[in-house]
């Protein structure tokens, strides 16, 4: 009976030793092994062997990406309160043994690391914001992120971590400041609208003036051309009349007829033409014998002058 119990105890101890000799590490984690409180080695994902009762899993380090949300307040150079809401994405720098040792032993616990990381980022952003004015903050999201990454990357490297991303999700101000900013934006928009309307009105008036000037110029050119053509027409008409009268007079001379007959005929035809095509309502004529004689003398004088010119 005693031998059976002893055998059972031995089997139990052997099974316990075997059970304690193997460790399963999940994907995305690395186990840190210590012996008698001193770092010994790391165990990577999968089934691993360790010395039971001597080697101890001191810490299990996650190499996956982790995130944390931050909310804090900062003060600008002109004493305006700025409220930030950030999302921080970070991870272990790599899975090398030295990096895992830093992560495992730089801080007592994960809570201490998170507190240090959050306070470091908050302090860095506060220091940057303190050098800027309230009106500049909204346009400096990217600059703030780049400044924080540059400032804390070295510190995180010493701790075995790497800052993957810092997103500034929201930047707000006190209610009074937000109202004043809204009024400034509204006034700037009104100013821009007034300037645009003024420019549009100026362009419209300028184009209208140019169009009116061009129209006047075209009208003047057309009137000048019309006057020139009218003058040419009158001159041509006079030439043709003089030519016709000269030819008629020559024909009368060759036929031994009195030139007064053709002159009288031309005079009456002219009067008829005036009455038919003239735009006036009244034609004043001297119908007396003396008046007719004077008119005939004037026509004869014109023919004589034309004969002299032709000679």
């Amino acid at each position: 009976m005693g031998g059976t119990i002893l055998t059972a105890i031995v089997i139990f101890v052997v099974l316990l030793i075997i059970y304690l000799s193997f460790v399963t590490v999940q994907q995305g984690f690395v186990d840190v092994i210590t012996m008698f409180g001193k770092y010994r080695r790391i165990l990577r994902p999968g089934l691993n062997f360790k010395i039971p009762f001597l080697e101890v899993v001191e810490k299990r380090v996650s190499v996956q990406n982790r995130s944390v949300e931050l909310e804090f307040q900062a003060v600008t150079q002109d004493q305006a309160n700025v409220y930030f809401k950030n999302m921080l994405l970070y991870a272990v720098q790599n899975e090398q043994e030295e990096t895992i040792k830093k992560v495992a032993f730089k801080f007592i616990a994960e809570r201490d690391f998170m507190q240090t990381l959050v306070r470091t980022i908050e302090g860095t952003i506060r220091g940057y914001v303190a050098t800027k004015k309230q009106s500049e903050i909204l346009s400096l999201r990217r600059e703030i992120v780049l400044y924080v990454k540059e400032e804390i990357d070295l510190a995180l490297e010493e701790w075995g971590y790497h800052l993957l991303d810092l997103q500034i999700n929201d930047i707000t101000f006190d209610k009074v400041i937000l109202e004043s900013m809204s009024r400034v934006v509204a006034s700037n928009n009104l100013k821009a609208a007034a300037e645009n309307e003024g420019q549009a009105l100026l362009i419209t008036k300028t184009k209208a003036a140019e169009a009116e000037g061009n129209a006047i110029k075209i009208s003047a050119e057309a009137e000048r051309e019309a006057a020139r053509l009218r003058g040419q027409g009158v001159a041509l008409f006079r030439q043709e009349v003089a030519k016709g009268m000269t030819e008629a007079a020559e024909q009368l001379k060759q036929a031994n007829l009195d030139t007064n007959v053709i002159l009288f005929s031309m005079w009456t035809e002219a009067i008829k033409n005036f009455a038919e095509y003239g735009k006036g309502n009244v034609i004043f004529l001297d119908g007396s014998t003396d008046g007719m004689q004077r008119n005939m003398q004037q026509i004869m004088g014109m023919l004589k002058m034309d004969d002299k010119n032709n000679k």
Side-chain angles (χ1 to χ4, degrees), residues 42-58:
I42 61 174
L43 302 181
R44 300 190 181 278
L47 183 63
N48 295 270
F49 175 81
K50 71 179 183 69
I51 303 174
F53 305 110
L54 297 180
E55 291 185 333
V56 178
V57 178
E58 182 69 24

Side-chain angles (χ1 to χ4, degrees), residues 102 106-107 113 116-117 120 149-162:
K102 291 178 182 179
K106 282 290 182 180
F107 295 91
F113 164 72
T116 303
L117 177 61
T120 300
K149 286 178 65 67
E150 183 179 354
E151 289 293 318
I152 71 171
D153 264 349
L154 291 177
L156 284 176
E157 186 177 348
E158 289 296 322
W159 302 337
Y161 288 92
H162 176 58

Side-chain angles (χ1 to χ4, degrees), residues 246-288:
T246 301
E247 292 177 353
E250 291 293 331
Q251 291 176 0
L252 288 174
K253 288 179 180 179
Q254 293 176 3
N256 295 319
L257 295 176
D258 189 358
T259 57
N260 291 327
V261 176
I262 188 63
L263 292 176
F264 180 77
S265 176
M266 292 174 63
W267 169 252
T268 56
E269 288 293 331
I271 297 302
K272 178 183 177 182
N273 186 269
F274 294 156
E276 185 176 356
Y277 298 104
K279 294 183 179 180
N281 296 324
V282 180
I283 299 176
F284 293 96
L285 297 174
D286 188 356
S288 63

Side-chain angles (χ1 to χ4, degrees), residues 229-242:
L229 294 176
R230 284 196 300 270
Q232 291 179 355
V234 171
L236 183 60
F237 172 75
R238 289 175 178 175
Q239 291 176 4
E240 292 298 325
V241 169

